Amino acid sequence: MTRTIVVLYILIRFLIPVYSQSWDEVQKNSKVYLSGDGWGTTVEEADQQALAALISQISVAVSSNVTITDEEKNLNGKIDGVTYYKSKLQTYTNATLTNTERIVISSDEENFHIGRFIRRAEINRIFEARERTVKEHIRLGLMAEKANKIDDALRNYYWAFNLLKTLQRPAEIMYTDKDSNKEIHPLTWLPEEMNSILGSLDVKVVSKDSSNVDLMFTYKGDPVGSLDYTYFDGRNWSNISSVKNGRGTMEFSKGMIPQNIQIKYEYAYKGQAHINQEIKSVLDVVKNQPLRKARVTLNVFGQQDRTALQKSKKSSESISPVSNEKGYRTTLERVVNAIKNRSYKNVSDCFSEEGMEMFQSLIMYGNARVINTNDCLFYQFGEDVIARSVQMSFSFKNGIRRNFVEDVVFTFNKDGKIDCIAFGLDEKAKNDILNKGKWTPEARQTLIGFLETYKTAYALKRIDYLRTIFDDDAVIIVGHVANKMVSVSGDNGKTMRNQKYITTNRYTKDQYLKNLERCFRSNEFINIRFANNDVRKAKGEEEYGIQIKQDYYSATYGDEGYLYIQVDLEDRKQPIIKVRTWQPEPDPEFGLFDMGFW
C-alpha cells in the first residue's frame, strides 16, 4: 500500500445516506420503540433534551432488572433504585449510545424539535459496549501492574470498577486474563486488587533538609516504576506529585516540615477524566468507594533509610567503560553543585554552546532541584561519554500536577564538554528497547538517545531543534475521536447508529511547528512520559518505526494516547522524522498506525 493511498484512506471520510423511521411510526409502535423528544434554539440543545428524555424512558424500562451493590446502598442510605440508576444512565451520552436514531421532527428559524428513539430489542447493546470498555481497562491495568507502573494500574482498575457499576447486572460480568487463563470476577476482584496493590506499597525517607524531604517508594520491595501521590503539608493538601523509578519528593516552607505527614496515593484520577467524556460522566455520578489503604502516615524524623537508595534497578544495557571517568565525574559534580547553589555562571566552561543553551532551559524548567546522584553511571558511546543519570525534581506554580521527578542524562562530546541534556526514559521503556531482537548495542543506544532527546525537546521548548529533525515533507497527523451515523441492516430492518471512529487532520511541517510554538508560549510547563513502546526496523535501512503509549501533561491540559514516529537514524547526530502521528485510541477500522502504513 503506497503512502498516497494510505493518507487518502485516513484523511477522506464519506457521508453515508441516512434512513430512519418516521416519528409518527415510532410513536405508534411503543411496544417496539422507546423514544424521547426535546425542544431547543439549536439542534444540539434540542438533541440533548431528547436524549435525556429517552434515557428517562430506558431507565424505567430496565429498572426492574437492575442490581445495585451493597456498598452503594450503604453510601446512599435509603435509595430509590430507579432514580439512582437513572442518574447512572445519564452517563451514556451521545458518544456512547451508539444504537439510537435521531429525527428532526420540525424546525424553523428559532426552534428545533428533535426526536430520539431505540428499538427495545437493542437496549442490551447499550451495555455491551460499556462492558467491552470495562474489560479493556482491566487488561490495561494488568499490563501496567506487571510493568510496575502502579499509577496506570490503579487508574485503569478504578475506572473499570466505576464503569462496571453502571451496567445492568455488574455481579454477572466475568473477565478472563489471557496470559494466566485465570477467570476474574471484577466486582469483587477490582477493589480487592487495588487494596492489595496499595498495601504492598512502602515509602521511606532517604534524605531531607530544612524545606525538602526526599523519598523512596517501593512495591513488593522493588522501586516503583511510576506512582502519583499527594501529601498534607500542615495547612493544605498538595497537588499531585509523581514518582519515577522509586524516587519522589515533598516540599515545605522553610523550617515547617511536620513530624508526621499524611500521604494519599492517587487512584481515582478525576483530574485526568476530562480526556474521556464517558469516564468523566461516570466518575461524576457513581458514588465514590474510598480505598482504605490509600492513605498512610510517614514519620519524617524517624531513622532515614539510606539502603533504599541501593534498591534502584539497573537496566541490562551493554556499555563500554570510560578511560577518564574521574575527569568527567568531576565536571558533572561541578554542574550538580552549581544547580544546588544556584551559581550557574561558574560552570559555563563545562558546556558547549548548544549544551549551555539546554542547561539554561533546564534550570528554568520550574524549580529545579537535585535529589540523587548516587546512581549515576558513565559509559562510552562512539566519541561521546554518557552520564546516566542525575535524579532531579521539578516543581511548578500552576497545574493539577505540579511536581515531577526526572532522570537527567548528560552527554559529553569528544572535547569533554556537555553537549546535550535529556530526560531519561523510565526503566520499562528503556528495557523494551534494550531487549529488542538481535539489534546491535549501538542501534539500541541510538534509539534510546533519540527518544530521550525528542521528549525533552518538548519539555524544554526547543522549537529550533524540532525544526531541524522533522523532514520538510514529513507526514504529520493528529487524530480525534468522533462519531458518525451509519445505516445498519438487521433482523428488524434498517436502523441508524452512531459509530465511533478516529477523524484525522494532516499538517505540514510549518503548520505543526507554528501550533506547537503557540502551545509552548501558553504553558508554564510541558512534560511527556513514554510507556509500552514497540520498535520495528525497516529492512536494509536505519529507519525505525516507534509506536509509543504517551502521557502528556501541561499547566493547562493533559491527555494520553498513542504516538507513532518513523525516523531515519542513519546519522545519529541528525535524526530525521519522516512520519509523526498521534491518536487518542486505536481506530476501530485499522487499529494503530505503524510501519506497514507508509
Side-chain angles (χ1 to χ4, degrees):
M1 188 179 288
T2 66
R3 179 180 298 188
T4 302
I5 293 173
V6 172
V7 170
L8 287 173
Y9 169 72
I10 296 168
L11 298 180
I12 299 176
R13 300 285 183 173
F14 51 86
L15 295 175
I16 299 177
V18 174
Y19 168 87
S20 72
Q21 308 289 347
S22 71
W23 186 245
D24 287 342
E25 186 177 350
V26 168
Q27 293 289 285
K28 290 175 182 177
N29 289 278
S30 59
K31 292 183 179 180
V32 177
Y33 301 104
L34 288 172
S35 63
D37 61 331
W39 295 81
T41 56
T42 65
V43 171
E44 292 76 15
E45 180 184 352
D47 188 39
Q48 288 302 312
Q49 295 291 332
L51 197 60
L54 174 59
I55 287 172
S56 180
Q57 293 297 313
I58 294 173
S59 64
V60 173
V62 302
S63 61
S64 61
N65 201 16
V66 165
T67 59
I68 299 171
T69 66
D70 292 337
E71 290 82 3
E72 290 178 299
K73 291 178 182 176
N74 292 333
L75 288 168
N76 286 274
K78 293 182 179 179
I79 187 166
D80 175 356
V82 175
T83 301
Y84 182 50
Y85 199 74
K86 180 180 176 182
S87 68
K88 286 185 176 183
L89 276 174
Q90 298 293 339
T91 66
Y92 290 81
T93 62
N94 189 31
T96 53
L97 289 174
T98 57
N99 53 342
T100 66
E101 290 192 54
R102 186 178 78 176
I103 294 178
V104 178
I105 302 169
S106 65
S107 64
D108 54 38
E109 293 181 359
E110 297 182 354
N111 290 290
F112 292 88
H113 187 194
I114 301 295
R116 279 274 188 169
F117 66 97
I118 184 173
R119 290 179 180 270
R120 288 179 180 270
E122 295 192 0
I123 289 178
N124 285 339
R125 293 177 61 88
I126 297 173
F127 305 103
E128 290 169 2
R130 182 155 292 180
E131 182 180 338
R132 289 193 294 271
T133 303
V134 168
K135 292 180 177 180
E136 174 65 7
H137 280 290
I138 294 174
R139 185 187 71 82
L140 292 172
L142 287 166
M143 286 178 55
E145 188 177 352
K146 290 172 185 175
N148 206 15
K149 293 182 148 311
I150 304 305
D151 52 350
D152 288 344
L154 289 171
R155 182 179 71 245
N156 280 291
Y157 288 156
Y158 186 77
W159 287 3
F161 187 48
N162 282 269
L163 286 164
L164 178 66
K165 289 189 286 187
T166 66
L167 298 177
Q168 276 182 286
R169 295 175 292 276
E172 297 179 12
I173 304 300
M174 301 298 293
Y175 177 84
T176 301
D177 180 5
K178 292 182 180 178
D179 291 338
S180 65
N181 207 31
K182 177 183 176 183
E183 196 168 60
I184 291 169
H185 188 233
L187 191 62
T188 54
W189 182 86
L190 283 167
E192 289 173 359
E193 186 68 8
M194 287 186 283
N195 273 309
S196 174
I197 290 172
L198 292 166
S200 299
L201 292 170
D202 190 29
V203 56
K204 287 183 168 59
V205 176
V206 293
S207 64
K208 62 179 180 294
D209 56 28
S210 62
S211 58
N212 299 284
V213 179
D214 296 328
L215 308 169
M216 172 59 72
F217 293 83
T218 57
Y219 175 63
K220 296 182 178 179
D222 290 326
V224 171
S226 56
L227 175 71
D228 293 324
Y229 63 98
T230 58
Y231 57 92
F232 191 71
D233 65 7
R235 294 176 295 180
N236 295 298
W237 283 97
S238 71
N239 284 64
I240 293 176
S241 296
S242 297
V243 177
K244 183 178 181 182
N245 295 335
R247 295 307 299 261
T249 187
M250 298 186 292
E251 298 181 358
F252 302 87
S253 299
K254 193 169 184 179
M256 298 294 290
I257 301 177
Q259 178 168 341
N260 295 301
I261 299 174
Q262 293 183 67
I263 295 175
K264 287 194 301 187
Y265 298 123
E266 177 65 25
Y267 58 86
Y269 289 94
K270 288 190 175 182
Q272 288 186 27
H274 68 275
I275 64 179
N276 185 314
Q277 187 58 42
E278 182 179 9
I279 299 292
K280 182 180 184 304
S281 60
V282 167
L283 295 184
D284 286 343
V285 168
V286 175
K287 300 300 181 182
N288 178 45
Q289 182 175 338
L291 299 177
R292 61 186 182 279
K293 294 185 179 181
R295 185 177 298 200
V296 297
T297 300
L298 178 67
N299 183 353
V300 176
F301 293 97
Q303 186 176 0
Q304 292 179 194
D305 185 7
R306 300 298 299 177
T307 62
L309 292 174
Q310 301 171 8
K311 294 180 180 177
S312 297
K313 292 182 179 179
K314 301 294 184 183
S315 55
S316 56
E317 53 195 308
S318 175
I319 60 173
S320 301
V322 178
S323 58
N324 181 28
E325 181 175 322
K326 184 177 179 181
Y328 291 105
R329 194 172 288 277
T330 299
T331 299
L332 188 59
E333 286 175 355
R334 285 182 59 198
V335 172
V336 167
N337 288 330
I339 296 172
K340 290 179 177 178
N341 300 324
R342 304 217 186 311
S343 55
Y344 310 122
K345 292 182 180 180
N346 298 335
V347 292
S348 58
D349 61 308
C350 298
F351 297 88
S352 68
E353 183 178 348
E354 184 175 5
M356 190 63 192
E357 289 179 4
M358 296 184 69
F359 180 65
Q360 289 171 340
S361 297
L362 178 77
I363 59 180
M364 294 290 289
Y365 187 65
N367 180 25
R369 187 173 67 85
V370 176
I371 59 176
N372 181 37
T373 60
N374 295 338
D375 299 331
C376 197
L377 178 69
F378 290 79
Y379 59 92
Q380 193 81 37
F381 182 41
E383 294 182 332
D384 297 337
V385 170
I386 312 296
R388 178 187 298 275
S389 56
V390 173
Q391 290 179 320
M392 297 181 65
S393 71
F394 301 90
S395 56
F396 302 89
K397 295 179 180 179
N398 301 306
I400 295 174
R401 185 183 301 261
R402 301 194 305 193
N403 186 294
F404 299 91
V405 173
E406 293 287 356
D407 296 311
V408 183
V409 180
F410 294 83
T411 301
F412 294 81
N413 63 18
K414 62 182 180 180
D415 299 320
K417 305 287 187 182
I418 295 173
D419 195 46
C420 181
I421 300 173
F423 293 162
L425 298 178
D426 65 23
E427 290 299 318
K428 174 66 169 63
K430 192 165 49 171
N431 286 327
D432 281 348
I433 296 172
L434 292 174
N435 298 325
K436 182 74 174 180
K438 299 180 180 180
W439 297 349
T440 64
E442 291 76 16
R444 294 170 181 168
Q445 292 293 344
T446 297
L447 272 169
I448 290 171
F450 164 72
L451 285 174
E452 292 177 337
T453 304
Y454 176 84
K455 82 186 193 84
T456 308
Y458 284 78
L460 302 186
K461 304 177 181 179
R462 298 182 63 203
I463 194 71
D464 290 337
Y465 168 77
L466 292 168
R467 188 170 284 111
T468 66
I469 65 171
F470 275 95
D471 187 272
D472 288 342
D473 297 320
V475 175
I476 302 172
I477 293 172
V478 177
H480 305 278
V481 177
N483 292 274
K484 63 184 177 184
M485 297 294 293
V486 297
S487 177
V488 179
S489 297
D491 295 338
N492 298 315
K494 271 189 177 180
T495 61
M496 298 301 301
R497 294 180 185 153
N498 277 319
Q499 178 176 296
K500 183 185 292 186
Y501 70 100
I502 306 297
T503 181
T504 55
N505 293 318
R506 180 172 179 177
Y507 298 93
T508 65
K509 173 182 174 179
D510 286 342
Q511 288 171 330
Y512 174 72
L513 292 175
K514 283 179 182 178
N515 291 341
L516 192 59
E517 199 165 10
R518 282 195 295 270
C519 176
F520 286 170
R521 286 196 301 266
S522 63
N523 279 287
E524 179 192 8
F525 70 87
I526 291 172
N527 190 274
I528 292 175
R529 298 201 170 188
F530 291 157
N532 303 333
N533 60 74
D534 182 33
V535 186
R536 297 182 183 180
K537 185 176 184 294
K539 292 182 179 179
E541 302 177 18
E542 287 303 310
E543 191 164 308
Y544 296 83
I546 310 167
Q547 200 177 80
I548 313 163
K549 179 71 163 53
Q550 174 184 279
D551 293 324
Y552 173 98
Y553 307 105
S554 72
T556 59
Y557 176 74
D559 65 29
E560 60 181 20
Y562 297 87
L563 178 70
Y564 175 74
I565 300 174
Q566 195 160 313
V567 58
D568 185 341
L569 293 175
E570 182 71 34
D571 180 357
R572 73 178 183 88
K573 293 284 190 179
Q574 184 55 60
I576 299 296
I577 295 175
K578 302 292 187 66
V579 179
R580 190 265 186 199
T581 71
W582 183 88
Q583 57 192 115
E585 57 186 63
D587 189 285
E589 295 178 11
F590 62 82
L592 297 172
F593 294 109
D594 60 25
M595 187 169 279
F597 278 89
W598 315 103

